[in-house]
Amino acid sequence: MNEKNQILDAYDTAFHAAAAGLPGSGTDWATSLRHDAMAGFRASGFPTRRDEAWRYTNLTPLQKRPYLAATSANEITGIERADLPRRDMDGARIVMVNGRFDETLSDLGPLDGSLTFMSLARALDEKPELVEPYLVGETGEDGIRRLNTALMADGSVIILPAGARPELPLEILYLNSAGENAAAHIRNLVVLEAGASLDLIETCRDTSGNGSAFWSNIVSTMVVGEGASLNHHQIQTIGSEALLSAAANVRVAEGGHYSNFVLTAGGLVTRNEIHILLQGRDAQATLDGLCLARAGQSLANVTIVEHQSPAASSKQRYKSILQARASAAFLGKVVVARDAQHSEAHQASDSLLLGEGATANAKPELLIHADDVKCSHGATVGALDKAALFYLNSRGLDPAAAKEVLVTAFAEEILECISLAPWRQIIRAEIAGWMRDGEKVSSQ
Amino acid sequence: MSGNNKAMLVVKGLHARVGDVEILKGIDLEIGAGETHAIMGPNGAGKSTLANVLCGRPGYEITAGEVSLNGKDLLALAPHERAGEGLFLGFQYPVEIPGVSNMNFLRTALNSLKKYRGEEEMDAASFLKMLRAAAADLKMAPEMLKRAVNQDFSGGEKKRNEMLQMAVLDPIMAVLDETDSGLDIDALKIVADGINAFRGPEKAVLLITHYQRLLDYVVPDQVHVMIDGRIVRSGDKELAKELEEKGYAEVA
């Protein structure tokens, strides 16, 4: 038996051992959904670099050993309130530890009265009819999502009724404290009914500080109703050995707007995938991302935006800053359907290489079936401008300060689009911290 | 070569090359405190190379010679340290820096210089007051201070911005590389006013120019003619007029 099969068998065995205890096990549709997904995973295995969409994702860690969901709901995680990252914004916070909702660490007091929150585990056990329409038929398009469907242990179900517009943002914080090669399969469901609006923050952090090889596998389904507006902000600063695969399936109805900003600044491998269906007229998507990659890291943003109705618009801007021997990729596909006339789709990706052996890949892909559309894409990969560096030096900035000014300016352009002001400050601080750490690493 | 003033910039036997091509073939130059010198010469004479070498731009190899500013060996210093010692280069082609506002750039630069000199940083309010006054002197619109450094500036605006930097950073020795090129007559006058305002008993200026035009407004103490990497003739301001009438070939 080869290594690949041994690994798949390990997942299969773990699944069958755990299945009866997984949430929703008392419900037929949930049980068969999980079993179908596991059978699908067993047949497909993990994606490989031969799959075009996965070509630039480092899958080696997943192919070398199984990452098993070792934690159970009542396990003591060892994380206390004092360990939580400082809050820089008001609003409610949902805390997931090792992939499970932790009510005592969460801060649900400020939760807006109009908003329904329930953990996925509870929803599957107590109100399966609430989540059924969003889960059935969603076994996943690849091995990683299939595994998520089979093993999903918890997540957040967030529902906003028509017209509800909470003022404060809602944060979901993911923390990991489990041992080596553990995994969390998280499934979220965010539904905004017509005219609703929400600032949703997702923060992935490593609190252990020991950089354990933990795999977070997060799949989210997001539904943006007519005229609704979901501002989705993500910050990903996981440990140096950790893996993160985050996938969001987003549907946007007429006049709705989904916006996403993701800062990725950690992990051995981080892959963000967003698949958006602009289903209604005038539906909009605004996607921005900044990757800060260090040596040995492999970070990727993958987007698929499907314009399915007339006058829908999408705008994407991704940037990456890479230290020596780091790798970052942007794969962006835009599909404009035949009757999605007057669509507007713009896409740009820029990468800044700061050291030897850094690799940036950009793969824009436009499939346009309508004839009256405005679409554009552009990609740049380059090093710091030597003329600009000398200009700054000649004005008195030492080489490190000149570099910091130029790198910050490169990042700053993408921060301008962040509407949530405190969030912009948080991102700025993350970038400054990353640059300082980078200097330490490179000067050692 | 200098008058009776204390020597500030001293260049002795300076040779420099790019790759295998020798461009400066032995430059001797001495500029005293309070003096303004002009270097004129045809294209390819090495004028801009001299400016770049003085300020430490990478890409040039110094094969012989010495350069000092107030007795300090400039060639041993990195570009930012030369700036710290009071040297300023006005660029022929000022660089655009997207994402960095003119104001922040100038404040960072000024505080870097102050840090190098062991002086206290300037607080934001005093800096802003000083910057606004300097911009007004150069007839620059306040909104130019908020825009990204030189981005989408016209040729004249870029040169005016160089003068603003000179005024704010307040060096002791300014090397101005074709600061007059690409300017219409009104902009030329403003830039010339900026240079004249900078001049003073403790300052020195080296103007590098193709044309005599600027020298009508900024009257130099000495004029040097540079041809093929050497200074072939030096004289007073009348030399510039002679050059304009007869051309380089005849004068040299």
Side-chain angles (χ1 to χ4, degrees):
Chain A
M1 196 187 282
N2 64 26
E3 193 181 46
K4 181 188 162 198
N5 281 329
Q6 281 179 20
I7 289 167
L8 299 187
D9 283 346
Y11 283 106
D12 202 45
T13 306
F15 169 70
H16 285 100
L22 286 168
S25 57
T27 311
D28 287 347
W29 67 258
T31 302
S32 60
L33 182 74
R34 288 185 189 279
H35 279 85
D36 289 351
M38 193 63 211
F41 169 75
R42 191 63 190 81
S44 70
F46 286 111
T48 71
R49 287 199 177 212
R50 281 187 295 277
D51 299 310
E52 194 54 34
W54 294 83
R55 220 173 113 190
Y56 302 111
T57 303
N58 175 13
L59 294 154
T60 312
L62 289 180
Q63 284 152 353
K64 283 250 152 107
R65 64 186 87 82
Y67 287 71
L68 299 177
T71 56
S72 63
N74 54 8
E75 184 175 328
I76 294 162
T77 61
I79 295 181
E80 291 171 22
R81 238 166 205 280
D83 302 329
L84 297 182
R86 201 167 61 89
R87 307 275 329 252
D88 294 296
M89 268 187 289
D90 294 331
R93 179 187 250 177
I94 296 162
V95 179
M96 297 273 160
V97 179
N98 300 327
R100 310 255 179 184
F101 173 54
D102 189 318
E103 192 158 5
T104 55
L105 292 179
S106 297
D107 191 5
L108 300 180
L111 211 56
D112 194 83
S114 63
L115 186 147
T116 300
F117 163 75
M118 194 182 280
S119 74
L120 180 84
R122 197 176 138 209
L124 279 169
D125 282 332
E126 296 174 18
K127 276 199 158 189
E129 69 285 357
L130 189 69
V131 294
E132 183 182 1
Y134 304 102
L135 292 178
V136 171
E138 298 274 341
T139 49
E141 297 143 32
D142 56 61
I144 288 178
R145 285 194 228 193
R146 287 183 190 117
L147 201 56
N148 179 284
T149 302
L151 293 167
M152 55 186 174
D154 213 339
S156 298
V157 178
I158 295 162
I159 298 171
L160 267 181
R165 309 174 79 88
E167 264 181 41
L168 295 174
L170 170 61
E171 182 186 18
I172 306 174
L173 171 66
Y174 304 97
L175 298 174
N176 304 322
S177 68
E180 289 296 303
N181 304 326
H185 298 275
I186 296 156
R187 179 70 70 104
N188 298 316
L189 197 57
V190 180
V191 179
L192 269 61
E193 292 177 3
S197 155
L198 180 68
D199 275 302
L200 177 68
I201 294 168
E202 277 188 288
T203 311
C204 292
R205 285 194 196 275
D206 194 349
T207 49
S208 61
N210 60 13
S212 69
F214 189 96
W215 176 27
S216 300
N217 183 17
I218 306 173
V219 175
S220 302
T221 296
M222 301 185 165
V223 181
V224 181
E226 279 183 23
S229 170
L230 177 58
N231 299 314
H232 185 194
H233 315 266
Q234 293 170 283
I235 192 163
Q236 301 165 335
T237 53
I238 55 174
S240 58
E241 296 302 315
L243 316 178
L244 170 63
S245 51
N249 296 310
V250 184
R251 304 202 298 264
V252 187
E254 184 171 328
H257 188 185
Y258 172 78
S259 74
N260 178 284
F261 179 92
V262 57
L263 174 76
T264 307
L268 182 65
V269 182
T270 295
R271 178 190 166 93
N272 290 303
E273 191 171 321
I274 301 184
H275 189 158
I276 299 180
L277 305 181
L278 297 174
Q279 295 180 317
R281 177 178 274 275
D282 293 316
Q284 283 182 61
T286 309
L287 310 178
D288 295 283
L290 178 63
C291 279
L292 308 175
R294 287 212 184 88
Q297 294 183 330
S298 158
L299 314 179
N301 280 301
V302 181
T303 66
I304 304 168
V305 180
E306 297 191 41
H307 289 243
Q308 298 181 326
S309 277
S313 68
S314 63
K315 195 172 171 197
Q316 306 183 53
R317 198 162 42 164
Y318 285 87
K319 288 198 169 199
S320 47
I321 304 173
L322 298 91
Q323 309 270 21
R325 299 185 313 285
S327 146
F330 168 67
L331 283 77
K333 187 195 262 187
V334 173
V335 184
V336 181
R338 188 183 297 275
D339 51 2
Q341 298 293 4
H342 310 294
S343 278
E344 205 167 317
H346 301 287
Q347 192 189 72
S349 96
D350 300 290
S351 300
L352 181 58
L353 310 179
L354 296 180
E356 295 290 316
T359 309
N361 285 291
K363 187 170 176 278
E365 204 178 339
L366 269 61
L367 301 171
I368 301 167
H369 304 293
D371 51 17
D372 187 7
V373 298
K374 276 188 210 160
C375 297
S376 70
H377 67 88
T380 66
V381 178
L384 284 175
D385 180 0
K386 287 199 175 79
L389 282 171
F390 176 65
Y391 194 64
L392 294 170
N393 291 156
S394 80
R395 297 298 180 251
L397 280 75
D398 66 40
K403 182 175 162 187
E404 185 174 333
V405 164
L406 293 183
V407 172
T408 307
F410 178 84
E412 190 66 25
E413 199 189 9
I414 207 157
L415 304 187
E416 285 168 6
C417 61
I418 299 176
S419 52
L420 205 58
W423 183 245
R424 198 158 49 224
Q425 292 309 328
I426 290 168
I427 299 286
R428 273 206 188 103
E430 287 287 346
I431 295 169
W434 181 82
M435 299 245 317
R436 276 193 301 276
D437 288 355
E439 287 302 321
K440 265 184 256 154
V441 170
S442 64
S443 62
Q444 266 167 14
Chain B
M1 293 177 82
S2 167
N4 302 321
N5 300 321
K6 178 181 65 127
M8 274 179 73
L9 182 74
V10 178
V11 180
K12 281 186 193 159
L14 185 63
H15 286 68
R17 63 185 190 190
V18 174
D20 291 334
V21 184
E22 185 163 53
I23 298 178
L24 301 184
K25 301 173 181 174
I27 300 283
D28 293 289
L29 184 68
E30 198 172 311
I31 304 179
E35 296 177 2
T36 296
H37 289 212
I39 290 189
M40 303 182 72
N43 279 329
K47 304 188 299 294
S48 286
T49 296
L50 176 61
N52 286 327
V53 164
L54 291 179
C55 298
R57 189 181 198 117
Y60 299 90
E61 190 191 342
I62 316 293
T63 50
E66 296 168 18
V67 178
S68 64
L69 179 63
N70 280 343
K72 194 118 187 173
D73 177 9
L74 284 187
L75 297 181
L77 300 179
H80 71 279
E81 295 166 328
R82 297 184 198 199
E85 294 297 333
L87 184 66
F88 177 86
L89 172 63
F91 281 59
Q92 184 179 0
Y93 304 108
V95 182
E96 298 191 6
I97 310 184
V100 181
S101 81
N102 227 353
M103 202 183 284
N104 282 341
F105 162 63
L106 276 164
R107 184 152 181 249
T108 308
L110 183 62
N111 284 334
S112 301
L113 294 172
K114 286 187 176 295
K115 191 174 147 199
Y116 178 85
R117 294 168 193 155
E119 297 166 10
E120 221 171 279
E121 290 196 355
M122 196 180 241
D123 67 85
S126 319
F127 171 77
L128 203 59
K129 202 173 158 196
M130 186 260 280
L131 178 63
R132 286 200 177 122
D137 287 345
L138 288 158
K139 300 184 173 56
M140 285 176 77
E143 62 99 17
M144 308 257 313
L145 302 174
K146 290 182 191 157
R147 280 166 57 184
V149 180
N150 293 324
Q151 197 179 23
D152 302 321
F153 283 25
S154 70
E157 286 171 336
K158 283 182 182 169
K159 295 299 172 72
R160 227 183 284 185
N161 204 27
E162 294 291 288
M163 292 301 98
L164 177 69
Q165 293 173 36
M166 183 171 75
V168 169
L169 302 180
D170 196 28
I172 55 171
M173 171 79 231
V175 178
L176 305 179
D177 188 7
E178 298 202 18
T179 296
D180 53 337
S181 67
L183 297 183
D184 61 34
I185 193 70
D186 292 335
L188 182 72
K189 278 183 188 163
I190 292 168
V191 164
D193 287 347
I195 300 170
N196 286 328
F198 170 73
R199 295 168 77 174
E202 299 302 320
K203 310 279 186 185
V205 177
L206 178 60
L207 299 170
I208 290 173
T209 181
H210 266 301
Y211 306 107
Q212 193 253 335
R213 201 174 60 152
L214 175 66
L215 308 184
D216 287 341
Y217 300 99
V218 183
V219 180
D221 300 295
Q222 284 201 47
V223 174
H224 309 278
V225 181
M226 188 168 173
I227 291 175
D228 192 26
R230 290 186 182 90
I231 289 175
V232 297
R233 226 184 121 179
S234 298
D236 63 12
K237 62 183 178 184
E238 298 305 320
L239 179 58
K241 295 208 173 89
E242 197 185 331
L243 282 169
E244 190 82 356
E245 284 160 23
K246 300 182 183 169
Y248 291 112
E250 200 177 321
V251 172

